[in-house]
Amino acid sequence: MKLCIAEKPSVARDIAKVLGATMPKQGYMEGNGYCVTWTFGHLCTLKEPHDYGPQYKSWNLFLLPIIPNNFGIKLIPNKGVENQFKVIERLVGECDEVINCGDAGQEGELIQRWVLQKAKCNKPVQRLWISSLTEEAIKEGFQKLKPAEDYKNLYLAGNARAIGDWLLGINATRLFTKKFGGNKAVLSIGRVQTPTLAMLVQRQKEIDAFNTEEYWELKTKYRDVIFNAAIDRLKTLERAEKGLEYLKVNPFEIVSFEIKEGKEKNPRLFDLTGLQVEANKKYGYSADNTLKYIQSLYEKKHVTYPRVDTTYLSESLYPKIDGILRKMHFYQDLIAPLLEAPIPKSKAVFDDAKVTDHHAIIPTEIPPSQNLTREEKLIYDLVAKRFIAVFYPECKISNTLVEGKVGTIPFKTSGRQVLEPGWRAVYAKEPKEESTDKEKDKEEEQTIPEFTVGETGPHDPMIHQGKTSPPKPYTEATLLRAMETAGRQVEDEELRELLKNNGIGRPSTRANIIETLFKRNYIEKKRKNLIATQTGIQLIDTIEDELLKSPELTGEWESKLRKIESGDYEANQFKEELIQMVTELTKKVVYGKAKAITLQEEEKVADKEKKKREPAVKKELQAWEETKCPKCKDHHLMKGKTAVGCSDFKNCGFKVSFEIFGKKLSDKQLMDLVLKSKTSKLKGFSTHPESVTEGILSFDDQFNVIII
């Protein structure tokens, strides 16, 4: 018997269906020589300090740093987790071979390896590695199973990351809380969390310290075109007025006139960070919620694996592109022009050298139905349009540059015109993004007539008064980009791609880091802007050690973790470096000066803030296969075509139809009936023998459905 272990029940169901393991059992599916079981994400975690000795239960400054000789793992203390682990442990003992069907990424590898380690697995292990959950992808994956050994470095990197986060998080949090927390609250320190907060605090300080200054600029209008004086801004109105007088008595002369044709490159396909940035800019979605929406689309088989950090596709995908485009029926108007010729195979899209474990996020050949939430539809639309846009021609533009002068004062202006929209046609019907510099945009969009060098004429000079602006606060979009590049301001996409290896955090964890900062009340949100709170600012000011709060140095650790993944760095060396750092940090803080940090109320403020920031994500219903039968209480339920019933129906006999007394029930109403033994008040019963049309559904003593 071959045992497949997936990361969650819904994925296990998809795999079991393809393999023909269709017989539901308690905690797994069986059939055709396979057993398919699942974890619920993490079943195991690293042991806590008190697991290594009772003395660590209380937080004592002089017992730090806590550095176990060997890091151990334990089951997460939860009844459901313990029961499911017993199922996995038994099946591991009975099987001939294990197939690791965990999420195809570093975290997924770690989850599965820890479970197999805990279950004392000594059977051969194969790895299923797929980029989507479609039937075709699963079948293909099982035809190309890899030995688990091929992914050993991926596990070592994940394990080193977890140990590194434990060493720094546990020790630094206890250290700073006891030294500076004033026994009021926990001061949370993290390997990625703290440098992220430091970036926000630094920006906040720059904004707070900024002094707004007025300035004046000289402009003039010649032949209905606005020209700007190409000189430094003037600091006084008096100088500006003198300049204006000078302009009034001198004619305008054209010095140079140049039209350059250029191209605007197509946007890149989405990696997870790029998608989170776009969804935040366009719809105000938090990084955390965007991850939930795209993960749901992946599990519904509409998009490929989302937790990726590349914007490229592997070259082997090229033959499938045509088929995916043809299945995207809703976008046929945009796709039709692409299908008139072979799809271009550009190095900007297909490049094996830029793809490691997974490729960029793209749609699958399974188009979405109408049962998506509004948010999922909008996220799918972003992915779909970006996928279409990369295969369109480049956008052709013309840039006009004009230089002039009035007396000795130089002037210049520029204009931009789209000659052939190319990929921009995909977004033609979308509202234009709001710009922060409307004045500049207005001038760039002005139509510039043909000028002749040497021509002169009258003009209308004017003074423009402005104010200097402070640096812009971070939004979730700009903070995600800053995390990706370890704080560097990078607009160029190719350069950003090169810096990703030294970014802080992983694409899949950055959303969680931002949420943690909100939860701890270290940051808050004002409109779209992220603002460091006084608690956050004081915490960063208290940390004198640059290693803890420097994005660049944290980026170097991230680079080492990637090198562990590729086999170019030793996991033990990474651990030793962190142990040394934590030991030195502890000495420095324990014997340094103490000062208490003023703390704001944490949880209530953070909860309120989250409600304000974004509508709650719909909670997913528990799976029927995870739900115990309410009648026999021994077996789990299974869903058929017309009813939900006990998996031991022959002996137990429990069954509830989807339609009761002429009313079709939703999954939530059915789940309420099963879990709570009653529904909310319902209307619309049409076939009740006593003509009852509304009421609450419940069970009688024999578990028959009645209206009360």
Side-chain angles (χ1 to χ4, degrees), residues 625-639:
E625 289 81 355
E626 296 167 39
T627 308
K628 278 270 175 81
C629 171
K631 187 176 179 183
C632 69
K633 294 186 170 57
D634 286 329
H635 295 86
H636 286 73
L637 297 178
M638 57 187 287
K639 187 176 181 181

Side-chain angles (χ1 to χ4, degrees), residues 222-333:
Y222 174 69
R223 285 178 57 187
D224 290 328
V225 175
I226 302 286
F227 285 80
N228 300 302
I231 56 173
D232 290 341
R233 286 171 171 174
L234 304 171
K235 299 288 174 67
T236 66
L237 177 58
E238 188 186 357
R239 284 196 66 196
E241 283 173 342
K242 273 186 183 172
L244 184 65
E245 290 307 313
Y246 177 79
L247 295 179
K248 282 179 179 175
V249 298
N250 286 286
F252 188 91
E253 182 185 343
I254 296 291
V255 174
S256 76
F257 177 72
E258 187 181 9
I259 299 176
K260 280 185 180 174
E261 287 197 8
K263 288 176 181 176
E264 258 188 5
K265 285 183 181 175
N266 301 49
R268 289 195 181 280
L269 289 168
F270 283 124
D271 58 6
L272 178 59
T273 304
L275 182 64
Q276 287 169 319
V277 166
E278 193 70 10
N280 182 256
K281 278 175 15 188
K282 221 163 193 175
Y283 306 122
Y285 294 164
S286 70
D288 191 42
N289 277 353
T290 297
L291 178 54
K292 283 172 185 159
Y293 303 143
I294 192 69
Q295 182 71 21
S296 174
L297 287 166
Y298 167 65
E299 286 168 21
K300 289 173 180 172
K301 309 181 182 60
H302 304 314
V303 299
T304 57
Y305 184 68
R307 295 163 187 258
V308 297
D309 61 356
T310 182
T311 57
Y312 292 87
L313 300 178
S314 47
E315 288 160 37
S316 61
L317 266 175
Y318 176 72
K320 296 181 180 180
I321 300 301
D322 190 279
I324 296 170
L325 288 167
R326 287 179 192 279
K327 289 281 173 66
M328 295 169 68
H329 307 302
F330 186 75
Y331 299 92
Q332 279 312 301
D333 288 355

Side-chain angles (χ1 to χ4, degrees), residues 63 190 260 319 430 438 491 503 550 614 633 650 700 702:
L63 287 176
K260 280 185 180 174
E430 295 195 1
K438 289 179 182 169
E491 293 301 322
S550 161
E614 204 173 319
K633 294 186 170 57
K650 281 182 186 173
D700 63 13
Q702 275 71 50

Side-chain angles (χ1 to χ4, degrees), residues 579-695:
I579 288 172
Q580 187 183 342
M581 180 201 150
V582 165
T583 307
E584 287 170 5
L585 176 71
T586 305
K587 280 181 193 166
K588 201 185 290 183
V589 173
V590 167
Y591 299 108
K593 285 182 182 175
K595 57 177 177 182
I597 289 176
T598 313
L599 295 155
Q600 296 175 23
E601 198 177 352
E602 277 192 20
E603 288 296 342
K604 285 177 188 168
V605 179
D607 288 347
K608 252 194 222 168
E609 190 57 54
K610 182 148 189 187
K611 278 176 194 163
K612 258 196 289 175
R613 281 187 284 142
E614 204 173 319
V617 181
K618 283 185 185 172
K619 197 176 177 186
E620 276 195 34
L621 290 175
Q622 184 174 322
W624 291 111
E625 289 81 355
E626 296 167 39
T627 308
K628 278 270 175 81
C629 171
K631 187 176 179 183
C632 69
K633 294 186 170 57
D634 286 329
H635 295 86
H636 286 73
L637 297 178
M638 57 187 287
K639 187 176 181 181
K641 287 183 180 175
T642 59
V644 170
C646 181
S647 56
D648 188 28
F649 180 73
K650 281 182 186 173
N651 297 312
C652 168
F654 176 77
K655 184 173 84 168
V656 184
S657 296
F658 299 155
E659 193 173 294
I660 298 172
F661 302 128
K663 177 175 175 64
K664 195 168 183 187
L665 299 189
S666 68
D667 273 6
K668 185 179 185 315
Q669 290 161 345
L670 271 173
M671 191 62 84
D672 282 348
L673 181 59
V674 168
L675 293 178
K676 301 174 185 173
S677 297
K678 65 177 184 179
T679 64
S680 55
K681 192 171 183 181
L682 304 175
K683 293 181 180 179
F685 301 115
S686 57
T687 60
H688 192 272
E690 294 169 21
S691 302
V692 177
T693 58
E694 60 181 75

Side-chain angles (χ1 to χ4, degrees), residues 7 46 70 130 149 222 358 393 396 463-464 484 522 550:
E7 198 166 304
L46 287 173
N70 291 303
I130 51 178
E149 193 60 26
Y222 174 69
H358 291 284
K396 288 185 180 174
I463 294 171
H464 167 75
E484 189 180 50
Y522 295 158
S550 161

